[in-house]
Each structure stands twice: as structure tokens, then as C-alpha cells.
Amino acid sequence: ADMQYEDVLYAVEGPAALITIDRPERMNAFRGQTIGELLDAFRRAWADPTVACVILTGAGERAFCAGGDQKTYAETGSYGTSANGLWELEELQQTMRSIPKPVIAAVNGIAIGGGHVLQVICDVSIAAEHARFGQAGPKVASFDAGFGTAYLARIVGEKRAREIWFFCRQYDARTALEWGLVNKIVPAERLMEEAKAWA
């Protein structure tokens, strides 16, 4: 594990910074601390002149990111904050859009809710065959009114974006590819190899 982080792994391999959400026991769902660490990791990649692009993925094979950690929320009444006391999800999304290096999502399993939004705002997305996509906002009384909705509508069109947001359905990798939500599908065991080839 990276000494600097508890919820995130950071490594540089060749031209790519690999940022991994490392909470597989929680389907890589994020709490405030996770968001703060991701933000710091993206800034590290931004500042590192040897890094040409970023690959974002999740630990394990089940989930890329299942969004906000509902268990933390149920136990504490909130998702918690970054070390600085702030909830920095919008800052993270802004940074992912602003970093002058391409961001590749390697979607290694489910990408739901806030985790799906992270995949949506990456520059390109490569998905494992078993990946699943969708939003969960209405189910958990949470709506991503920022990048999540605007970018999704640009990518899949208004009608499909509304369907995704209103009905909380889950879509398989094939549908995601057909709709332009992802760029390519590969077998799970080839996912990181493919992401690095794109890098």
C-alpha cells in the first residue's frame, strides 16, 4: 500500500500514473477520505513531469467503484470528509476534467452511481466484459447535478441520459459500448494491459 494513502493506491508505470481505489471489501465505494486521497493522487500525477497520462481503476475484479459508501453513510449520517474537513467530490471531478493529461478509466467491474460518474468524466474508458454501468441517485436520494449529468447527456444524448438517471437500471458492457459510454471492451484479464497500451 502507498504510505501516503489508506483508500487509494498510487504508482507510476512507464508514462502512466496508476490510481486505484483500494476498498474492494466495500466494492471500492468512496467515503470523504477516499475523495480527498484521489484528489491528491490526481494532483501528484499532474505535477509529475514523467507522467503523460493517468489510468483510474478499482482494486479486485468485482467493482470499479460503487459510488458513495452507503454503509459509512448509514453508520455515521454522512460520507465523511477529506482530511481538511471538506467534501471534495466536485473538486475531484473538476480536476479530472482540468488535468492536462488524458485520463483513462479501466472499468474492472461495476461502475454505479458516483462511481459511474467518475467513469463518465474520464477521457476514454476501457471496460472488462463483466463491467456494469448505471446511476443510483433516486434510490439513495442523491443526485449529481454537476458533471455527472452534463457529461452523460453529451455522451449518450438527452433521452438515454434521462433513462439512465430516472430508472436506475444497470447496463452491460455491450450496451455501454453501443451507446458510446465506453470506447472498448476486453476480457477482464487483458484490461490493464489494454489500458497501458492506450497510455
Side-chain angles (χ1 to χ4, degrees):
D2 194 301
M3 295 305 290
Q4 280 185 266
Y5 307 123
E6 191 183 343
D7 291 5
V8 169
L9 300 172
Y10 182 89
V12 176
E13 290 185 22
L18 262 60
I19 299 177
T20 307
I21 304 171
D22 188 30
R23 306 186 76 220
E25 74 292 347
R26 294 282 179 99
M27 304 290 276
N28 297 317
F30 52 74
R31 51 184 178 171
Q33 181 180 334
T34 320
I35 297 297
E37 291 180 4
L38 284 169
L39 186 53
D40 190 78
F42 271 95
R43 287 175 175 157
R44 267 171 92 178
W46 188 327
D48 186 342
T50 70
V51 168
C53 74
V54 177
I55 297 170
L56 177 66
T57 195
E61 282 153 34
R62 290 172 64 208
F64 171 74
C65 176
D69 187 337
Q70 297 304 313
K71 199 171 170 193
T72 295
Y73 195 89
E75 286 166 3
T76 66
S78 86
Y79 294 119
T81 65
S82 296
N84 60 16
L86 298 173
W87 170 249
E88 297 184 293
L89 186 56
E90 263 180 51
E91 288 78 0
L92 173 61
Q93 294 174 351
Q94 182 75 60
T95 300
M96 288 172 67
R97 291 310 311 156
S98 306
I99 185 172
K101 304 174 182 191
V103 182
I104 300 167
V107 186
N108 57 308
I110 70 162
I112 300 292
H116 184 244
V117 171
L118 292 181
Q119 179 284 124
V120 166
I121 61 181
C122 288
D123 293 300
V124 294
S125 295
I126 299 157
E129 287 168 338
H130 71 287
R132 294 183 71 78
F133 303 82
Q135 293 301 148
K139 283 186 177 170
V140 296
S142 158
F143 181 66
D144 190 318
F147 288 94
T149 44
Y151 275 88
L152 186 61
R154 282 193 216 174
I155 291 166
V156 300
E158 294 284 344
K159 297 280 187 180
R160 278 176 173 163
R162 283 182 169 81
E163 177 190 323
I164 291 168
W165 268 106
F166 292 174
F167 300 104
C168 304
R169 294 180 181 133
Q170 291 189 17
Y171 302 89
D172 62 15
R174 187 71 41 207
T175 306
L177 184 64
E178 200 180 297
W179 286 12
L181 258 179
V182 301
N183 299 79
K184 188 169 184 180
I185 304 172
V186 293
E189 64 275 8
R190 288 211 14 247
L191 180 64
M192 289 314 292
E193 179 193 322
E194 187 70 25
K196 287 172 186 172
W198 284 50

